[in-house]
Amino acid sequence: MSTKIEVNAMGDACPLPVVKTLKALKQLDGEGAVVTSVDNETAVKNISKMAQEKGCMASVEKISDSEWHVTVATAGAVADPEQDGADFCGASAGKGELVISVYTDCMGRGDDELGHKLMKAFIFAVTQQEELPATMLFYNGGAKLTVEGSPVLDDLKALAEQGVEILTCGTCLDHFGIKDQLAVGEVTNMYVIVEKMEQAVRVVRP
């Protein structure tokens, strides 16, 4: 007989909904399902992606405009999240690889107009390097660089075509109201951002 565990992640910011769901799946230790209640679509997407990476089935029920129930069903034990937590959100940066962390659309302090020009020049310069980064992380104001109308969008698309992983914080996109404008790469969460930084030998922040 399968077991069902209910998880309340209402009001939780990423990556807590994913982490809570993953820990509940571990507790099942066999066939069963975890039903997680969340209040934002970013959490829905992140949990669903985790389920796919773990070989589980995910289904979503929208209860209201501010509540979703994500059911993750498994036919067997799920690996310990403390051992392979990186696996559920896509490829991790390998040892020795470069990660570029972009937290603003304005490089440096002193003059914002100049800062925007410098950031555009920086991203272009990245495209010209012999060694390209494995991953580029965009969060807070940096999230504005990966959406439609961004002055560096063409350069970021060129990097993505060459295999550079472009990840943008979903909470940040939601905060600025631009999630539907994402034009390059994928949405991610803080759990993955931290893992990418920890697993890279070098992290560059303009």
Side-chain angles (χ1 to χ4, degrees), residues 120-140:
K120 184 176 181 180
F122 175 85
I123 299 296
F124 173 75
V126 172
T127 70
Q128 304 302 303
Q129 300 304 304
E130 182 175 342
E131 178 194 1
L132 296 178
T135 303
M136 295 184 72
L137 304 170
F138 295 86
Y139 52 96
N140 208 326

Side-chain angles (χ1 to χ4, degrees), residues 6-136:
E6 295 186 0
V7 174
N8 183 0
M10 298 288 289
D12 290 339
C14 79
L16 281 179
V18 174
V19 173
K20 285 183 175 181
T21 304
L22 192 55
K23 288 184 176 180
L25 284 170
K26 172 61 180 175
Q27 292 173 10
L28 287 174
D29 196 27
E31 182 180 357
V34 174
V35 181
T36 304
S37 301
V38 298
D39 60 6
N40 64 87
E41 292 187 83
T42 298
V44 171
K45 182 174 181 179
N46 289 337
I47 293 172
S48 298
K49 187 172 183 180
M50 177 274 290
Q52 181 181 8
E53 294 292 330
K54 288 294 186 182
C56 302
M57 296 292 294
S59 60
V60 180
E61 180 184 3
K62 185 174 182 178
I63 306 302
S64 68
D65 288 340
S66 59
E67 183 176 358
W68 290 260
H69 290 176
V70 186
T71 300
V72 179
T74 177
V78 174
D80 190 335
E82 295 183 359
Q83 295 179 348
D84 65 352
D87 292 344
F88 68 77
C89 283
S92 299
K95 298 299 184 181
E97 292 181 334
L98 169 65
V99 169
I100 294 180
S101 171
V102 183
Y103 71 96
T104 177
D105 60 347
C106 179
M107 186 175 181
R109 297 179 178 178
D111 187 290
D112 287 350
E113 183 178 354
L114 174 61
H116 292 309
K117 292 179 180 178
L118 292 176
M119 182 60 76
K120 184 176 181 180
F122 175 85
I123 299 296
F124 173 75
V126 172
T127 70
Q128 304 302 303
Q129 300 304 304
E130 182 175 342
E131 178 194 1
L132 296 178
T135 303
M136 295 184 72

